[in-house]
Amino acid sequence: MQILLAAIVVLPLLGAVAALLPAPPGLKGKSPDQAVLRHGVTVTGAVLALSVALAVGFDHDDPARMQATTDISWIPALGIRIHLGVDGVSLPLLVLTALLTFLSALYSYVKMPDGPSPKAFVALILVLESGTLASFAVLDLMLFFLAFEMVLIPMYFLIARWGGDGRERAAWRFILYTLLGSVVMLLGLLLIGIKGGTFDMVALATDNGSGLSHTTQLVAVLAIGVGLAVKAPMWPLHSWLPDAHTAAPTVGSVLLAGVLLKMGTYGFVRILLPITPDGVHTFAPYLAAFAVVGIIYGSLVCLALARSGAGGDLKRLIAYSSVGHMGFVLLGIATLTPTGVNGALFANIAHGLITGLLFFLVGAVKDRYGTSDLDRLSGASGAALYGKAPRLGGLLAFGAVASLGLPGLAGFWGEMLAMFGSFEPAEGLSRPAYLTFMAIAGFGTLLTAAYMLIVVRRVCMGGDGDGSAGSVHAPTSLPDVQPYEFAAWTPLVALTVLAGLWPAALLGLTDPAVQQLLRGGN
């Protein structure tokens, strides 16, 4: 198990180096470009297989215990160790990352985005995967920071070199926002390590903040929270996200929404809740307030983008929907209850599956029509996917109803548990305030249903009636879902249904670990 986890983190890095080297003569095939793309599929497939093996070998009877641990000294003078391990909180995120990266590599093997050399593309995808996996596996604050930063450069280049219109501005905005947030976060991590006498997350969590003064905890939560909130993304630190999603290539958007955003919320649960409990308790109502503002704000912007004549972009709409969905995750964390935190972790996984699928689908629509502008896709002469590409239209409708939280699909449970946690927040938190937050979040679910159904009506049914002047005038039929698209999308659909019908499979993993984290690792 130790070797498995170490291999999962290191293998993508080795694969990235190998991708930049000349292919051996026997593996070149007819095209060097296809050879390197096939290499990407092979490496990410191997990482996924190892992740599944790790999940199968995981002791499901004791998910609160750190398993597959490696703990060796790295920089003795600073007390920094190479400490790896997984529990019920991190294991689902590890498998989700491996799955989405493999599906992205599989999709790119046939539909490589326009841009420079595929060698660089595959290498960047693999470095991104390694950094993300490491973020969920490391148990040392400094290693967490290094892994957290490791993903920024690959994503910057994926947007700047393989993105669409406005890619350079979006890439710069992404890197500046996240780097500034990370600098502040580093100060908070150093403060905890110096005052606590160690950078080891498990040891700090076991102390449960006893070695940190109240003032130290407040400063640490504020500094680390800002860095994590930028990545989450929490309103009002979210403004880099819509541009990045709109400009990114399809697989870049899938990985950005599916796994990179989860690094921020994971940091709240893994670092702040057990290590700085007093500081988190003080700031929890403010975090909840920002979360529900984000829910309403994201939904209202999506409604504005979805209306006829607004010139809204479908990728941008899905990006803004992430602000609202991640608001539910932050609200669940802010309740400081097992119910709310379990809901947040469930919503994390559900969002990765559903939004990953939606960005795949929007990318497919854009490939076929040459645009993701809603006004051009709607109307009698627009997309009308039900008639022209019925399977694609059906999948888009499925993704939309899953995103709005239809009972029986994965999107429902996380949002419901986050609101349940708000109904009875942790001791010492104002129940009237959290009941207000719950009511606002509930209203946000109605707004989410409204804009998602508008999107389905306009894009799938051609629901603008007369067809606007800007419609795409597409042919009566278009290529429906292709085999490589079925291969990339079917696992996300199946897991969205499975998680919706059998939530205990995920909650049974997370709940014991969450209970232990909230008790300070004891």
Side-chain angles (χ1 to χ4, degrees):
M1 292 287 282
Q2 290 174 310
I3 295 171
L4 268 181
L5 183 58
I8 287 168
V9 174
V10 173
L11 183 59
L13 271 183
L14 299 177
V17 173
L20 298 175
L21 299 175
L27 298 178
K28 284 184 179 179
K30 295 181 180 179
S31 166
D33 289 349
Q34 286 300 104
V36 74
L37 291 170
R38 185 168 60 248
H39 168 79
V41 175
T42 303
V43 174
T44 56
V47 172
L48 176 59
L50 293 174
S51 300
V52 172
L54 181 69
V56 171
F58 187 82
D59 183 0
H60 292 260
D61 293 328
D62 192 12
R65 177 174 59 88
M66 279 295 170
Q67 302 181 35
T69 55
T70 298
D71 188 7
I72 57 178
S73 179
W74 184 35
I75 307 177
L78 299 177
I80 299 174
R81 307 181 67 82
I82 297 177
H83 192 182
L84 306 176
V86 290
D87 62 358
V89 169
S90 52
L91 181 65
L93 291 167
L94 209 71
V95 176
L96 175 68
T97 300
L99 173 65
L100 286 177
T101 312
F102 169 69
L103 297 180
S104 296
L106 187 65
Y107 185 86
S108 300
Y109 180 71
V110 178
K111 193 66 180 177
M112 169 72 190
D114 296 332
S117 163
K119 281 191 171 187
F121 177 81
V122 170
L124 289 170
I125 290 287
L126 292 174
V127 172
L128 183 70
E129 179 181 33
S130 182
T132 311
L133 291 169
S135 297
F136 300 135
V138 298
L139 297 173
D140 183 277
L141 292 178
M142 289 298 100
L143 281 184
F144 176 81
F145 176 77
L146 292 176
F148 199 84
E149 295 301 286
M150 184 176 168
V151 305
L152 301 184
I153 301 303
M155 183 54 70
Y156 167 80
F157 281 110
L158 285 172
I159 297 171
R161 294 292 178 264
W162 286 270
D165 295 338
R167 58 181 182 267
E168 291 187 4
R169 177 179 179 273
W172 273 110
R173 197 167 189 180
F174 163 77
I175 200 75
L176 288 176
Y177 263 78
T178 49
L179 277 178
L180 287 173
S182 297
V183 169
V184 179
M185 183 177 75
L186 176 60
L187 298 176
L189 294 175
L190 289 172
L191 178 64
I192 288 178
I194 293 168
K195 294 293 186 180
T198 179
F199 290 105
D200 187 271
M201 292 185 194
V202 176
L204 288 166
T206 303
D207 289 344
N208 200 210
S210 60
L212 304 173
S213 68
H214 184 68
T215 302
T216 299
Q217 291 194 35
L218 289 178
V219 174
V221 169
L222 189 59
I224 298 171
V226 167
L228 298 174
V230 170
K231 188 68 72 72
M234 183 186 78
W235 180 92
L237 302 175
H238 69 284
S239 58
W240 61 270
L241 181 72
D243 288 342
H245 270 309
T246 305
T250 296
V251 296
S253 294
V254 170
L255 295 174
L256 183 57
V259 294
L260 263 68
L261 304 189
K262 313 303 177 285
M263 293 164 62
T265 50
Y266 173 78
F268 276 101
V269 176
R270 174 65 70 202
I271 298 173
L272 294 184
L273 288 186
I275 296 175
T276 56
D278 293 342
V280 171
H281 194 281
T282 300
F283 282 110
Y286 302 100
L287 177 62
F290 282 122
V292 296
V293 170
I295 292 170
I296 299 300
Y297 171 81
S299 299
L300 290 176
V301 172
C302 288
L303 273 174
L305 292 171
R307 66 182 177 85
S308 179
D313 185 277
L314 189 52
K315 282 190 78 174
R316 196 172 188 85
L317 184 147
I318 303 301
Y320 269 110
S321 76
S322 292
V323 177
H325 289 307
M326 298 309 288
F328 279 99
V329 176
L330 293 170
L331 176 62
I333 294 170
T335 66
L336 307 184
T337 62
T339 301
V341 177
N342 276 303
L345 294 172
F346 197 102
N348 254 347
I349 301 299
H351 179 264
L353 296 171
I354 296 167
T355 308
L357 175 63
L358 284 172
F359 275 118
F360 270 133
L361 294 167
V362 173
V365 171
K366 188 173 183 178
D367 289 339
R368 286 161 170 78
Y369 288 89
T371 182
S372 54
D373 182 274
L374 273 168
D375 286 338
R376 297 182 64 196
L377 291 173
S378 62
S381 57
L385 291 177
Y386 286 162
K388 298 173 183 176
R391 292 184 181 86
L392 182 59
L395 283 171
L396 184 60
F398 172 84
V401 297
S403 182
L404 63 83
L406 184 73
L409 298 177
F412 171 73
W413 295 104
E415 296 180 1
M416 185 194 72
L417 289 172
M419 289 191 284
F420 271 8
S422 298
F423 184 76
E424 196 71 55
E427 185 178 351
L429 298 176
S430 170
R431 190 167 184 235
Y434 274 81
L435 288 175
T436 304
F437 298 149
M438 182 187 73
I440 296 172
F443 180 62
T445 63
L446 298 179
L447 295 178
T448 303
Y451 70 73
M452 280 298 180
L453 293 176
I454 290 172
V455 167
V456 170
R457 178 177 62 83
R458 297 188 69 196
V459 178
C460 296
M461 304 178 186
D464 277 355
D466 57 352
S468 62
S471 295
V472 291
H473 299 291
T476 55
S477 64
L478 283 170
D480 211 337
V481 180
Q482 301 298 299
Y484 74 95
E485 293 173 327
F486 265 123
W489 304 343
T490 299
L492 300 179
V493 174
L495 289 172
T496 298
V497 175
L498 181 63
L501 295 178
W502 190 27
L506 184 56
L507 294 173
L509 273 178
T510 61
D511 184 54
V514 166
Q515 300 270 4
Q516 181 163 298
L517 281 173
L518 291 175
R519 292 196 302 267
N522 296 309

